[in-house]
Amino acid sequence: MWDIAEIFKSSQCEEEVEGEEALMYLARRYKGLTVNASAHAIFFCKLLHALRPSKAEKGLPTSLVDNCGLKIGIISGGHLGKQLAQALLTLSWAPCCSIRISTRRPESLAPFALLISADLQEQGVKCFYDNAQLAAWADVVFLCCLPSQVLTVCSVVRPAIRKPCVVYSLVTAVPLCRLKQLLSYSAIVRPQYQCSAREPINEWGMKGTVTAALQDPAVVQATCPCGSQGKIRVNAKWLVAIFYAALNSSMWQSLPHQKALKLLNDLCFPEHCAICAEQKASCPQFVCESFVSRTFASSMTLEETFPWFDLTAAQVRESPFSQLLENSESVRSHLALLYQESFGDRPTEQHGLISANASLTSAVVEPGVMLDHKSSFSTTASEISSEILEETTDYDSKSS
């Protein structure tokens, strides 16, 4: 859950704001952070579902507009948890039965669950208070609790959580390394947001809900992680982490790495791509070296799966995929298009595609945190080198 003190502390505006102006500023920032966090959570769930077993086994084309079957757990039924659940139900077409909320006061969510049920003619979102049960059931667990509750929540969740579940933290005040320590777990994603020094405008739909805001193509465009136009930006390594999380999902399903690459390529670089048709160029393609070192890739057999990646390491170190994103404008443009289309928004000449010209690492993480800048690498994925694979992967077996 967003901490107002943390939000205000992270402000980089040079002009001091006071009184009512300060409250309005914080309200706009809070709404903007909630909209961005919800948008990115939706995109992550859709991407993760793209490599689900039902698609792979039946040989059906993957799509980000169909994520039925992914089990999503939300810890805390406060404002952020409810907004996230509503956005997932409305904008990801997830059935009510695929979302569960664990909160200390489940009775307070009864009207919410009934409202959702009436709208979708389903049995409703299941609300209860059992964080361990939720963690054991879910494919993705969203932490939306207060920073003061993290220690207690993690102590309960820690023995229950199992691979390939991804813990997705929206708790601003607890760093990634601390979460990894508390959970003794590496499949954690923690987006970090920074607001620009400019005063946030009303692009987040101040008077409406998060769900309503994300039905506006201009708002979706402003939240795109591949661009630099938004007033609020997510750190570059978030995008890296969610793609490695998708590969972890494929590994857990025992999908050969070539099959996993084909699913990702069909999703990210579809046939008849509007970008490549306009530029009269061929779409880029992910290859094995896009995600692992050349040395490791050369040792993989055709039927071998990708290794299990340490998502916490992928968010603090350079990796083959982070270098590919940094150096390939074409890949960034295609992912920006994928992001916008996942919300049902096909960019037009009026709205345009998010500019991907800016370096991804220019979207700095949190104030005072600097990213290491490596020397330039070739934009050809097969020529990208990286640190040894052991630094971004976990070789534990499934039985661990």
Side-chain angles (χ1 to χ4, degrees):
M1 182 174 180
W2 309 118
D3 186 341
I4 287 293
E6 182 73 15
I7 295 171
F8 191 75
K9 180 181 177 181
S10 69
S11 172
Q12 294 190 354
C13 290
E14 296 180 358
E15 298 182 0
E16 185 178 0
V17 288
E18 298 179 351
E20 185 177 348
E21 182 184 354
L23 292 176
M24 290 301 297
Y25 175 79
L26 290 175
R28 286 192 293 269
R29 176 166 291 193
Y30 179 88
K31 180 63 177 293
L33 285 167
T34 305
V35 169
N36 274 266
S38 298
H40 298 154
I42 291 169
F43 180 71
F44 169 64
C45 289
K46 291 180 176 181
L47 177 65
L48 197 62
H49 176 72
L51 274 71
R52 299 291 293 170
S54 59
K55 296 293 184 184
E57 292 173 357
K58 297 179 181 178
L60 298 176
T62 56
S63 169
L64 288 190
V65 297
D66 172 21
N67 74 335
C68 178
L70 189 69
K71 295 180 291 184
I72 302 168
I74 299 173
I75 293 182
S76 180
H79 178 75
L80 180 59
K82 286 189 288 189
Q83 293 275 9
L84 177 59
Q86 177 69 77
L88 284 165
L89 286 165
T90 305
L91 300 175
S92 71
W93 295 274
C96 294
C97 59
S98 70
I99 297 178
R100 297 182 182 180
I101 301 175
S102 176
T103 178
R104 289 182 298 175
R105 295 180 57 215
E107 67 279 0
S108 67
L109 296 181
F112 170 76
L114 290 174
L115 176 62
I116 299 298
S117 175
D119 288 344
L120 301 182
Q121 297 183 347
E122 294 284 351
Q123 62 184 9
V125 176
K126 188 174 287 188
C127 304
F128 53 87
Y129 181 40
D130 192 330
N131 292 335
Q133 178 186 329
L134 185 80
W137 169 82
D139 298 311
V140 181
V141 173
F142 286 99
L143 293 183
C144 303
C145 58
L146 292 169
S148 59
Q149 299 169 339
V150 167
L151 184 61
T152 301
V153 168
C154 287
S155 66
V156 173
V157 166
R158 177 175 173 172
I161 201 163
R162 295 287 185 274
K163 293 179 181 178
C165 179
V166 177
V167 177
Y168 193 110
S169 176
L170 292 174
V171 184
T172 59
V174 183
L176 186 64
C177 59
R178 178 61 172 159
L179 288 170
K180 183 176 183 179
Q181 181 185 42
L182 291 173
L183 291 170
S184 295
Y185 195 62
S186 66
I188 305 172
V189 174
R190 181 181 180 267
Q192 299 176 64
Y193 296 94
Q194 181 176 2
C195 299
S196 68
R198 295 166 293 176
E199 174 74 6
I201 60 174
N202 293 331
E203 61 186 10
W204 310 117
M206 285 298 296
K207 295 182 179 180
T209 63
V210 169
T211 301
L214 289 175
Q215 292 174 321
D216 182 347
V219 172
V220 172
Q221 178 173 314
T223 65
C224 183
C226 298
S228 58
Q229 296 178 359
K231 301 294 189 298
I232 298 175
R233 295 173 292 172
V234 67
N235 60 311
K237 294 297 178 65
W238 170 81
L239 192 60
V240 173
I242 67 170
F243 270 83
Y244 278 120
L247 292 181
N248 280 350
S249 176
S250 75
M251 175 266 183
W252 205 254
Q253 299 164 45
S254 300
L255 280 181
H257 69 279
Q258 292 295 341
K259 176 65 174 177
L261 287 172
K262 184 179 186 307
L263 290 173
L264 276 181
N265 283 326
D266 289 347
L267 185 69
C268 301
F269 314 114
E271 193 176 0
H272 309 302
C273 169
I275 295 176
C276 296
E278 181 179 341
Q279 298 176 355
K280 298 182 179 178
S282 59
C283 280
Q285 292 285 293
F286 290 138
V287 295
C288 200
E289 292 90 339
S290 301
F291 301 98
V292 298
S293 67
R294 258 191 296 178
T295 301
F296 188 85
S298 64
S299 69
M300 297 179 71
T301 64
L302 291 177
E303 295 302 312
E304 190 173 350
T305 68
F306 277 108
W308 177 266
F309 294 98
D310 182 336
L311 302 186
T312 59
Q315 292 168 86
V316 297
R317 302 187 187 132
E318 291 299 319
S319 64
F321 190 55
S322 70
Q323 293 161 0
L324 175 62
L325 288 179
E326 174 68 19
N327 293 281
S328 176
E329 180 183 340
S330 178
V331 170
R332 296 197 301 269
S333 295
H334 282 80
L335 295 186
L337 180 62
L338 175 69
Y339 179 84
Q340 290 181 256
E341 289 187 340
S342 72
F343 289 90
D345 174 31
R346 177 171 290 276
T348 62
E349 291 183 3
Q350 180 180 359
H351 292 295
L353 182 65
I354 286 290
S355 171
N357 293 332
S359 165
L360 272 178
T361 53
S362 67
V364 288
V365 285
E366 290 183 334
V369 179
M370 298 297 293
L371 294 176
D372 292 331
H373 292 279
K374 304 289 184 178
S375 57
S376 298
F377 288 82
S378 167
T379 58
T380 304
S382 62
E383 295 180 359
I384 291 179
S385 61
S386 68
E387 299 176 359
I388 58 174
L389 183 69
E390 285 81 357
E391 293 192 350
T392 55
T393 58
D394 173 7
Y395 292 100
D396 291 345
S397 64
K398 292 185 183 182
S399 59
S400 63

